[in-house]
Amino acid sequence: MNKSIDYLIQPGGKLTGRVRVPGDKSISHRSVMLGSLAEGETRVTGLLEGEDVLSTLGAFRAMGVRVAGPDQGNLVIHGAGLHGLKSPKNALDMGNSGTAMRLMAGVLAGQVFDTELIGDASLSQRPMQRVVDPLGRMGAKIQTDEGGRPPLRIKGGQKLRGISYQMPVASAQVKSSLLLAGLYAAGETTVTEPAPTRDHTERLLRGFGYDVQTQGARISLRGGGALKGRRIDVPADISSAAFLLVGASIAPGSDLMLEQVGINPTRTGVLNILKLMGANIELLNAREVGGEPVADIRVRAAGLRGIRIPEDQVPLAVDEFPAIFIAAAVASGETVLSGAQELRVKESDRIAVMARGLKQLGIDARETPDGIIVRGGRLQAGTVDSHGDHRIAMSFAIAGFVTSGPVTVRDCKNVDTSFPGFVNLAAKVGLSIRVI
Ligand code: S3P
């Protein structure tokens, strides 16, 4: 059993220096998946060695893929080819990772053998019908538990056919799951998004030599091709950088440089929103690395003001709202978020859990069905519960810069799913944080 840990944060201090946060989680998952399904060798550098990505890696190892590493972000995958995976002995455990489970469902729907996908207590409560329905329309046979929850039992040996699917929710996981199944389907698979979502799957597939067409909101590919092994340099994760962007914005005197952060325009909602709030953020040395735009980001402390968050930014900042709510708690005036009901089905109900935690620290935070209203004020000392949600744990840790006294954040073990080494890195650049 994983032992639970808590963080204790002392207020004061500032963020300074240069730092590189760990590799992008979305790109790391996809690198492992596509490298495993490719022909020949794929060499990955900058891989996130977080538990979520290790779950994906473990699944491919269990299906016979030979992998060397990971070692300090380096991974060498000897691809099995699209049809070279072997039947795993046991159920594949996706741990805490919704991305792993939903994308793997697409991959496994196309295999000749049966599989079962399981997850931890949080993942076991998350909705899977959003991938099971459209995959079923492609010919996949997938059983779920009651209410479309995991485990997923996927029947092998089905003939998949391409479909044209209009996604009801803006979800990169649904899009990616269908595109991955589409590699195994007869004819063309087309997915239409209601709003732009992260396009790493499309970019990476093209890098593996696979033809993917994007026309406005429609993304399509034809089954029956092959992926060719390649090199991938994973940029630092903007979703991990987000905690430090907010921390440096709120901690007086901060001046921090975040190195080689992915700034794919489908991920930069957090920069847009913080800038609207008055943050002092500068992108330097913008360049492209392995098909993904990256930059160094300089962030300095600034007075923030509350805003109405534009709804078109929601899918572009979908993982960064817990950190943004901390910025809102410190800002002058009210911040209003709407159109963000998806936050309720993440690793926790992020609207409810953040509202509760903010109230615990003396902030006026009111839930709405699809968002939150946060009135900026003085954060008080206190204890908050992250409910095992990595991003909520790190958000309240960063809030500790400006609270009136110490903050204890409970249940922080899952920070290792996306940001291994968070405590050491945050302490190195100026946060008084320790594990208790
Ligand atoms: C992800 C997509 C997003 C995001 C998740 C990672 C991905 O989920 O919240 O952390 O890698 O495709 P949704 O597709 O459910 O919005």
Side-chain angles (χ1 to χ4, degrees):
M1 270 310 276
N2 279 348
K3 235 178 86 204
S4 178
I5 59 167
D6 299 341
Y7 293 161
L8 177 64
I9 301 99
Q10 300 292 340
K14 58 187 176 182
L15 283 171
T16 55
R18 300 179 73 90
V19 71
R20 180 172 171 155
V21 300
D24 187 276
K25 181 153 72 74
S26 295
I27 298 175
S28 295
H29 276 298
R30 289 158 172 81
S31 300
V32 172
M33 292 178 190
L34 297 181
S36 296
L37 299 174
E39 287 161 17
E41 196 175 272
T42 291
R43 283 180 179 265
V44 188
T45 54
L47 185 89
L48 170 66
E49 294 183 38
E51 286 168 2
D52 279 8
V53 175
L54 299 180
S55 297
T56 294
L57 189 55
F60 282 100
R61 279 201 162 115
M63 292 189 286
V65 177
R66 287 192 304 120
V67 183
D71 177 20
Q72 299 190 30
N74 298 317
L75 187 71
V76 182
I77 309 169
H78 302 277
L82 278 168
H83 302 283
L85 299 179
K86 300 199 178 67
S87 172
K89 287 199 183 65
N90 302 310
L92 300 171
D93 188 352
M94 300 295 103
N96 191 241
S97 177
T99 307
M101 186 168 284
R102 297 198 180 109
L103 271 60
M104 288 305 285
V107 171
L108 297 172
Q111 304 304 319
V112 292
F113 48 82
D114 298 351
T115 41
E116 184 177 8
L117 290 172
I118 59 173
D120 72 3
S122 151
L123 182 53
S124 298
Q125 292 306 314
R126 296 182 64 187
M128 293 297 143
Q129 211 60 45
R130 54 180 61 197
V131 291
V132 171
D133 277 344
L135 289 172
R137 285 178 47 191
M138 294 177 77
K141 289 226 162 10
I142 306 178
Q143 274 182 4
T144 66
D145 240 15
E146 220 169 286
R149 314 279 160 197
L152 301 185
R153 292 183 194 85
I154 304 172
K155 190 101 194 87
Q158 308 303 310
K159 288 232 173 312
L160 301 186
R161 53 194 174 271
I163 58 167
S164 181
Y165 187 64
Q166 171 78 49
M167 296 196 317
V169 277
S171 163
Q173 293 180 357
V174 175
K175 169 176 67 174
S176 301
S177 184
L178 300 193
L179 292 176
L180 290 168
L183 298 174
Y184 293 93
E188 191 169 69
T189 299
T190 300
V191 186
T192 306
E193 311 190 275
T197 67
R198 64 192 70 194
D199 63 356
H200 306 302
T201 302
E202 298 92 300
R203 285 174 187 254
L204 277 170
L205 277 168
R206 290 186 190 111
F208 277 91
Y210 211 95
D211 186 26
V212 181
Q213 298 293 328
T214 300
Q215 278 165 329
R218 286 162 60 91
I219 303 108
S220 46
L221 56 72
R222 299 187 74 83
L227 304 169
K228 285 187 251 354
R230 54 171 290 202
R231 299 181 82 92
I232 300 170
D233 192 1
V234 180
D237 198 331
I238 190 166
S239 298
S240 296
F243 306 105
L244 301 176
L245 288 169
V246 170
S249 296
I250 65 175
S254 293
D255 186 351
L256 184 70
M257 184 75 90
L258 294 155
E259 293 174 345
Q260 205 168 333
V261 182
I263 52 159
N264 181 314
T266 60
R267 297 285 298 281
T268 45
V270 63
L271 302 179
N272 303 334
I273 292 167
L274 288 176
K275 281 183 186 166
L276 286 173
M277 297 177 79
N280 184 346
I281 293 174
E282 230 182 310
L283 300 192
L284 301 156
N285 194 16
R287 57 214 186 266
E288 187 146 315
V289 175
E292 288 281 348
V294 303
D296 302 327
I297 305 182
R298 182 177 184 189
V299 52
R300 281 172 277 186
L304 300 181
R305 54 185 174 271
I307 59 164
R308 173 171 277 281
I309 297 173
E311 285 197 11
D312 64 0
Q313 295 299 309
V314 171
L316 311 181
V318 69
D319 290 336
E320 286 69 73
F321 284 105
I324 291 167
F325 297 164
I326 299 300
V330 176
S332 60
E334 224 170 49
T335 295
V336 181
L337 173 68
S338 57
Q341 53 274 44
E342 274 294 298
L343 299 195
R344 294 199 181 272
V345 291
K346 295 296 179 189
E347 286 82 331
S348 70
D349 177 340
R350 287 184 172 157
I351 293 175
V353 175
M354 283 302 299
R356 210 173 304 150
L358 287 170
K359 279 187 227 156
Q360 213 77 47
L361 301 185
I363 296 295
D364 174 8
R366 272 162 291 152
E367 282 185 57
T368 60
D370 64 342
I372 196 169
I373 303 167
V374 180
R375 172 163 290 284
R378 182 75 218 271
L379 280 157
Q380 303 299 316
T383 297
V384 293
D385 192 330
S386 81
H387 286 256
D389 186 322
H390 55 136
R391 299 201 195 280
I392 289 182
M394 289 184 274
S395 298
F396 282 115
I398 287 298
F401 266 120
V402 291
T403 43
S404 63
V407 173
T408 303
V409 188
R410 294 221 189 280
D411 200 2
C412 301
K413 179 76 188 68
N414 280 337
V415 166
D416 288 343
T417 61
S418 69
F419 200 149
F422 169 73
V423 168
N424 287 344
L425 185 143
K428 194 180 112 195
V429 286
L431 183 66
S432 298
I433 179 171
R434 64 188 175 88
V435 172
I436 53 171

